[in-house]
Amino acid sequence: MQAVTLGPAGTYSHRAARAVADDVAFRESVTSIVQAVADGSFERGVVPIENSIEGSVTESLDAVANSDVSVVQEIVTPIRHALLAQSANFDVVASHSQALAQCRTYLEENYPDAKLEAVASTARGVERARADPTVAGIGHPDNVGDDLEIIAEDIQDQSSNATRFLVIGPESARSDAGGKSSLVVYPNANYPGLLLELLEAFAERDINLSRIESRPSGNRLGDYLFHIDADAGLYEERMQGALEEVEGIASNGWVRVLGSYDTRHVLY
């Protein structure tokens, strides 16, 4: 099996993808990863969906909502950030926007004058550091290689920093088995109590929601869809009942069922 994830080699996404497939290819954006799975170019894609410090990765939410794909597994992994450079003398810190945000306090306290440059991935920032002595990158300590120094380790603002990745498959790979389910709901409606009705469909069946998040539908201002993660499998009668009720509430819009899956914790 071949998987596709954010590149180049050495990203945190790459580390998560290696738990899925030995053969890993790379793309420069989450949207292109999801599309590559949707069009059949790859069997699996691995995308970051949520970080314990910075929250959801909105590009991933939008890409999954707008594509014919399924979620077949989630991978949770700790994130260890190190500052990597050719020397301690640098003017720019380049990394993925999420990594820069996760290390905001450290950077403000120790390098208040450094310019922060957002790039496509942590590994791309480390590449910039290898090529330019005035640039430092943020990445896993193992990415230091022979031409960089570890200026500082564990620079993330919270020691409990972890990221949740979704393993994406084609729509045909969707499963009803698993302890967790994800769906996207677009009610195409706006009235008092709408969100309460959606929540009650799960609460009345004793189904915990581990995440619910709204995203703009893109159709008009103030119009939203909802990403929902439920701690129940689609094989369960209570989940089937909740889904049926939600589909009734969203009868003017749509419900995209991404599937049920289990969680895998990967340490490195």
Side-chain angles (χ1 to χ4, degrees):
M1 180 182 293
Q2 188 178 38
V4 60
T5 195
L6 282 173
T11 62
Y12 290 97
S13 294
H14 182 202
R15 291 173 174 271
R18 288 189 305 194
V20 177
D22 293 328
D23 189 3
V24 179
F26 302 106
R27 292 290 185 274
E28 289 293 320
S29 72
V30 167
T31 302
S32 61
I33 292 167
V34 175
Q35 185 56 46
V37 175
D39 66 20
S41 299
F42 292 90
E43 296 175 81
R44 296 290 185 268
V46 178
V47 298
I49 195 73
E50 184 179 11
N51 176 262
S52 60
I53 296 177
E54 283 301 301
S56 296
V57 181
T58 56
E59 184 186 0
S60 297
L61 294 176
D62 295 343
V64 168
N66 295 322
S67 303
D68 294 327
V69 294
S70 63
V71 177
V72 299
Q73 187 182 50
E74 72 172 6
I75 295 173
V76 177
T77 185
I79 301 297
R80 290 187 59 214
H81 286 314
L83 190 64
L84 309 176
Q86 295 184 32
S87 73
N89 299 314
F90 55 84
D91 304 313
V92 176
V93 180
S95 194
H96 190 275
S97 57
Q98 282 264 336
L100 292 171
Q102 291 162 24
C103 303
R104 184 184 294 113
T105 300
Y106 172 85
L107 294 173
E108 288 177 351
E109 291 179 352
N110 293 275
Y111 299 95
D113 298 325
K115 177 185 175 183
L116 305 185
E117 179 182 319
V119 293
S121 66
T122 54
R124 192 65 72 194
V126 174
E127 283 187 348
R128 289 267 288 111
R130 294 191 200 284
D132 188 339
T134 68
V135 176
I138 295 175
H140 193 278
D142 289 352
N143 290 346
V144 63
D146 297 326
D147 47 358
L148 295 177
E149 298 179 13
I150 298 177
I151 306 301
E153 288 191 66
D154 295 319
I155 65 172
Q156 62 274 4
D157 292 343
Q158 301 290 336
S159 60
S160 59
N161 190 17
T163 293
R164 174 182 171 228
F165 296 87
L166 294 184
V167 181
I168 304 297
E171 199 170 27
S172 60
R174 198 194 88 177
S175 173
D176 290 349
K180 196 170 185 178
S181 301
S182 291
L183 57 151
V184 185
V185 181
Y186 176 51
N188 193 24
N190 186 15
Y191 56 83
L194 170 60
L195 180 56
L196 177 61
E197 289 181 10
L198 291 173
L199 296 175
E200 285 180 338
F202 298 95
E204 290 175 353
R205 294 168 173 84
D206 197 32
I207 299 174
N208 182 55
L209 299 184
S210 55
R211 183 175 65 95
I212 180 167
E213 183 160 355
S214 62
R215 289 289 298 155
S217 69
N219 295 329
R220 55 189 177 272
L221 188 64
D223 191 45
Y224 297 94
L225 50 80
F226 299 95
H227 290 259
I228 297 174
D229 291 341
D231 291 341
L234 290 166
Y235 68 92
E236 297 182 54
E237 185 175 341
R238 58 177 183 155
M239 187 63 186
Q240 294 167 12
L243 181 57
E244 182 178 356
E245 185 170 341
V246 167
E247 289 173 336
I249 296 169
S251 58
N252 291 331
W254 48 261
V255 177
R256 173 161 286 148
V257 181
L258 297 173
S260 295
Y261 51 88
D262 288 320
T263 303
R264 180 176 179 183
H265 291 269
V266 175
L267 304 177
Y268 50 73

